[in-house]
Amino acid sequence: MRLYPFLFEPNLHSVVWGGDAITKWKGLPDVQEPIGESWEVSAVPTSTSIIANGELKGKDLISVLNEYPEEILGEEVSRQYDRQLPLLVKFIDARKDLSIQVHPNDAMAQRLHQKRGKTEMWYVIDAKPGAFLYAGFGSPLAPLDENGEVTDREAAMEAYRRHVANGTITEVLAKHEVKAGDVFYLPAGRVHAICSGILLAEVQQSSDVTYRIFDYNRPGMDGNPRELHTELAAEALDYQVVDTYRTTYDYQPERANLVIDSPFFNVRVIDVNGPFHRNLIKYDSFIITMCIHGNCRIRMRDTGDEIMLREGYSTLISASIADYDIIPDNIEGKSQILDAFIDNKTRDLGSRISRFLHLTRK
């Protein structure tokens, strides 16, 4: 069959810290439970996306990937990730503070859970005045060398345990006030938490492994205390302190602005004020496009077929058809989108390591 950009049914997740910003933004009916996450494009088996348009409407994304792995994912992505979608993208609404948490790297996650690790990034869409988040350690938990590396990991782990036990863990974290357009890259091992008043887009490795460190002693949705993973987190944590945890990037209108270029994903943000051509065939990768502001149409160059991508929604564009135009379709005549994909064009080992080290030291 002829592939086309996939739209998806709402995939909402109710959590104790969520609100109603996502359902209002998407124009969905009100629900009683607080919604914290919208899994926009997911091939996680416990919550896979359901296609909402075209010939494959009603099919789950995992089964469709099994039918057309190379066409959708790209030949290299399909080979490297065993025919599985390597990314999960979400919109997150933090009405209340999220727990302090950390994610394991690939090696630890595979060893303990037979899953991938979880490196992620945040793009802030909206933030109330004074809203902030935590990312990384602000104060060292043990002596550091000249490169900011902990010289005694066991001492750092013991200090971490004491801070968790007496409820002072936030006192040693780096706190960052945020505004729309801010970006944070969170390699596996970096302690973090989104705090109240923030709406953001998240791009991450396709993994649901999270170690909860501290949750303000609050009950979960079932009224019981939420499980903590103190010892797993102690092993997973990177205790290094760096100069800045915020990701800086060059921004220009009408350009595909590179925000993140890591070994795990490439993310670009584009403000579109008129028809904007995207030919991404060279990357040999699927493209996930999240519409941050202003409805737009995605028109395929080879067939002329198009979809309407509404603000607050996302689409998956297959690697084999990743040559298209983005056309704003709203009164303002402009749109903002976020693209996430795997950059196979410049994926030699040396450049991957160089870019990764550059990003983590910013």
Side-chain angles (χ1 to χ4, degrees):
M1 64 164 292
R2 189 170 70 189
L3 292 174
Y4 56 91
F6 299 142
L7 299 172
F8 300 98
E9 300 289 347
N11 186 355
L12 307 180
H13 289 242
S14 179
V15 286
V16 67
W17 44 262
D20 60 3
I22 288 175
T23 52
K24 288 181 177 179
W25 191 32
K26 287 178 170 287
L28 299 173
D30 292 336
V31 295
Q32 297 298 316
E33 300 83 7
I35 300 299
E37 299 184 346
S38 171
W39 290 27
E40 292 293 292
V41 182
S42 167
V44 176
T46 55
S47 187
T48 186
S49 295
I50 305 299
I51 295 173
N53 65 319
E55 294 181 46
L56 297 170
K57 180 177 180 179
K59 289 198 171 188
D60 70 88
L61 183 55
I62 293 176
S63 66
V64 173
L65 287 171
N66 287 335
E67 288 186 64
Y68 310 101
E70 293 185 352
E71 296 90 336
I72 295 175
L73 296 173
E75 292 183 6
E76 178 60 23
V77 174
S78 179
R79 183 196 64 78
Q80 183 177 351
Y81 293 97
D82 194 25
R83 300 158 58 108
Q84 298 177 39
L85 182 69
L87 301 184
L88 166 63
V89 303
K90 306 174 181 177
F91 289 127
I92 296 179
D93 170 28
R95 173 168 287 185
K96 301 176 183 177
D97 295 350
L98 276 69
S99 62
I100 309 300
Q101 57 189 242
V102 69
H103 308 297
N105 60 23
D106 284 343
M108 183 175 178
Q110 181 61 39
R111 173 168 54 87
L112 297 180
H113 312 286
Q114 294 73 55
K115 294 183 178 182
R116 291 195 187 99
K118 187 174 173 184
T119 286
E120 61 190 20
M121 65 81 70
W122 294 333
Y123 180 86
V124 178
I125 298 169
D126 190 34
K128 297 186 182 303
F132 65 91
L133 55 81
Y134 295 110
F137 284 104
S139 301
L141 300 186
L144 306 177
D145 63 20
E146 63 275 9
N147 297 318
E149 299 282 355
V150 170
T151 58
D152 188 341
R153 183 173 174 84
E154 288 299 323
M157 293 171 73
E158 284 305 312
Y160 149 79
R161 293 185 182 100
R162 289 195 299 271
H163 282 292
V164 172
N166 62 28
T168 60
I169 188 66
T170 58
E171 295 178 7
V172 294
L173 303 184
K175 180 179 176 181
H176 314 272
E177 193 164 322
V178 296
K179 64 184 184 307
D182 283 351
V183 171
F184 288 82
Y185 179 71
L186 302 162
R190 181 165 293 172
V191 62
H192 61 272
I194 307 167
C195 295
S196 62
I198 298 174
L199 176 70
L200 58 77
E202 178 177 274
V203 177
Q204 60 161 90
Q205 289 179 270
S206 184
S207 173
D208 57 359
V209 181
T210 296
Y211 299 151
R212 195 175 296 122
I213 294 171
F214 180 67
D215 198 37
Y216 318 101
N217 303 311
R218 65 184 168 191
M221 296 292 288
D222 59 1
N224 297 316
R226 298 212 292 168
E227 182 181 5
L228 300 181
H229 312 93
T230 307
E231 288 306 309
L232 286 169
E235 181 183 348
L237 280 166
D238 178 358
Y239 295 97
Q240 181 182 9
V241 176
V242 300
D243 293 336
T244 179
Y245 295 96
R246 194 186 305 262
T247 298
T248 58
Y249 60 99
D250 295 326
Y251 169 80
Q252 296 182 47
E254 294 292 312
R255 294 287 299 274
N257 298 287
L258 179 63
V259 174
I260 296 293
D261 189 2
S262 81
F264 305 101
F265 45 74
N266 184 293
V267 176
R268 295 173 185 259
V269 172
I270 310 166
D271 281 336
V272 181
N273 297 310
F276 190 86
H277 182 210
R278 295 287 273 150
N279 185 347
L280 305 179
I281 298 290
K282 60 189 177 184
Y283 293 110
D284 188 25
S285 171
F286 63 92
I287 312 297
I288 296 175
T289 297
M290 310 176 78
C291 190
I292 305 298
H293 177 79
N295 301 341
C296 63
R297 288 175 287 134
I298 307 292
R299 179 179 296 163
M300 310 315 298
R301 279 285 178 112
D302 62 341
T303 65
D305 295 341
E306 65 180 36
I307 62 163
M308 173 66 74
L309 183 60
R310 292 165 49 201
E311 180 178 312
Y313 287 80
S314 305
T315 183
L316 173 64
I317 300 173
S318 299
S320 61
I321 59 170
D323 183 12
Y324 54 93
D325 294 301
I326 304 165
I327 306 167
D329 195 87
N330 54 79
I331 295 174
E332 295 179 344
K334 59 183 181 181
S335 302
Q336 183 183 66
I337 65 163
L338 182 151
D339 278 344
F341 56 94
I342 308 298
D343 180 359
N344 291 304
K345 184 170 178 286
T346 55
R347 273 294 181 249
D348 64 276
L349 182 60
S351 65
R352 291 173 69 183
I353 294 173
S354 175
R355 287 197 301 271
F356 179 63
L357 292 176
H358 176 64
L359 282 163
T360 55
R361 289 174 179 170
K362 276 190 176 181

